[in-house]
Amino acid sequence: VSVRRSGELFGTLHTVLFSPEDLQLMKQGPAERRRFLDLELCQLSRVYYHNLQQYYKVLKQRNRLLKSMQKQRNLKATLDVWDEQLEQYASQVIRSRSSFTETLSAIAHGLHDGITDGREELVIQYRPNCGAEELRKKWKQNLDKDILYGNTSHGPHKDDLLFLVNGNDVKLYGSQGQQRTAALSAKLAEITLIQQEAREKPILLLDDVL
């Protein structure tokens, strides 16, 4: 059977990969952690994949309109149409990410405790750029700035994850060993989470873990 889009493969074969590049989850910016969230959620939910796709599609249209408004302010009346659609998909994405992170953190907490013999406590927190109920308010407040830069300043495309070890942000205050252990705990937690959600064991791929 021919596959038209790569998205159609999500959920066909569940996998979890751990490689040296996973340290970037701790070291790099929010985009890397959003990618981690999205890849896992897309594996588990076609609904999430659809909502995420539609969100970025509408976001692209809204940003295009913002750039046009730099010269034609009278286009402002059409902005509400895009904001209504964007809010709809953004709310779904935020709720899914929040629920996923809460479950992932609970599983990773227990695994990390075992790996470190109880010396460290790992907590993973979802940090939305803006709450679902505040999106329209933030877009209106920042409209002039958004028009100036031709870009939407608030929404799920700006979200982040926070990894706390003993209450400290491991990205800023953790050693390389702590960052690696936190990343490993998060990845191993994915295995349990997939088993719970998909009711099947994923394939674990290990690349130079030690």
Side-chain angles (χ1 to χ4, degrees):
V1 178
S2 62
V3 176
R4 291 172 299 167
R5 295 184 298 272
S6 60
E8 294 178 32
L9 292 171
F10 281 125
T12 303
L13 180 67
H14 294 100
T15 61
V16 174
L17 168 67
F18 186 80
S19 70
E21 284 72 30
D22 285 317
L23 272 178
Q24 303 310 312
L25 189 62
M26 307 295 157
K27 293 184 174 184
Q28 294 299 317
E32 191 68 27
R33 290 180 285 281
R34 284 195 301 273
R35 182 174 177 273
F36 165 74
L37 266 178
D38 291 338
L39 283 175
E40 192 52 57
L41 276 163
C42 286
Q43 272 202 92
L44 294 171
S45 172
R46 290 185 182 275
V47 173
Y48 179 82
Y49 175 68
H50 170 75
N51 287 332
L52 188 69
Q53 264 199 326
Q54 293 302 118
Y55 173 78
Y56 277 108
K57 190 179 293 184
V58 177
L59 179 66
K60 186 177 180 181
Q61 294 291 343
R62 187 181 193 271
N63 288 342
R64 190 175 295 165
L65 179 60
L66 288 170
K67 289 175 184 174
S68 299
M69 287 170 66
Q70 292 171 353
K71 296 179 180 178
Q72 296 175 274
R73 284 280 178 156
N74 61 335
L75 292 172
K76 186 178 179 180
T78 62
L79 196 62
D80 283 342
V81 177
W82 295 114
D83 284 0
E84 186 177 340
Q85 293 183 56
L86 197 62
E87 182 184 34
Q88 175 190 340
Y89 293 117
S91 298
Q92 296 294 331
V93 169
I94 290 169
R95 277 193 282 270
S96 295
R97 286 178 175 177
S98 178
S99 177
F100 172 82
T101 306
E102 190 175 323
T103 305
L104 184 76
S105 180
I107 298 170
H109 181 278
L111 289 167
H112 197 83
D113 183 73
I115 292 172
T116 62
D117 292 325
R119 292 189 302 272
E120 294 180 0
E121 180 183 49
L122 173 66
V123 175
I124 305 172
Q125 292 181 352
Y126 173 50
R127 288 295 176 92
N129 166 259
C130 179
E133 67 286 345
E134 296 180 296
L135 286 167
R136 294 288 279 269
K137 180 182 175 183
K138 289 290 185 182
W139 291 335
K140 286 181 180 178
Q141 286 178 345
N142 292 274
L143 182 58
D144 289 337
K145 187 177 83 170
D146 288 358
I147 292 172
L148 179 65
Y149 292 104
N151 190 49
T152 303
S153 56
H154 287 80
H157 59 290
K158 299 283 188 177
D159 287 352
D160 200 358
L161 275 182
L162 191 62
F163 290 81
L164 300 172
V165 172
N166 295 337
N168 297 313
D169 185 349
V170 73
K171 177 185 176 182
L172 299 175
Y173 304 107
S175 66
Q176 180 140 317
Q178 286 177 316
Q179 290 175 346
R180 183 181 293 276
T181 307
L184 179 59
S185 296
K187 285 289 182 174
L188 292 175
E190 284 186 73
I191 299 172
T192 303
L193 199 152
I194 289 174
Q195 282 184 263
Q196 290 177 356
E197 298 292 326
R199 299 186 183 280
E200 68 176 41
K201 290 184 178 181
I203 294 174
L204 177 61
L205 305 172
L206 303 172
D207 176 17
D208 196 21
V209 178
L210 302 180

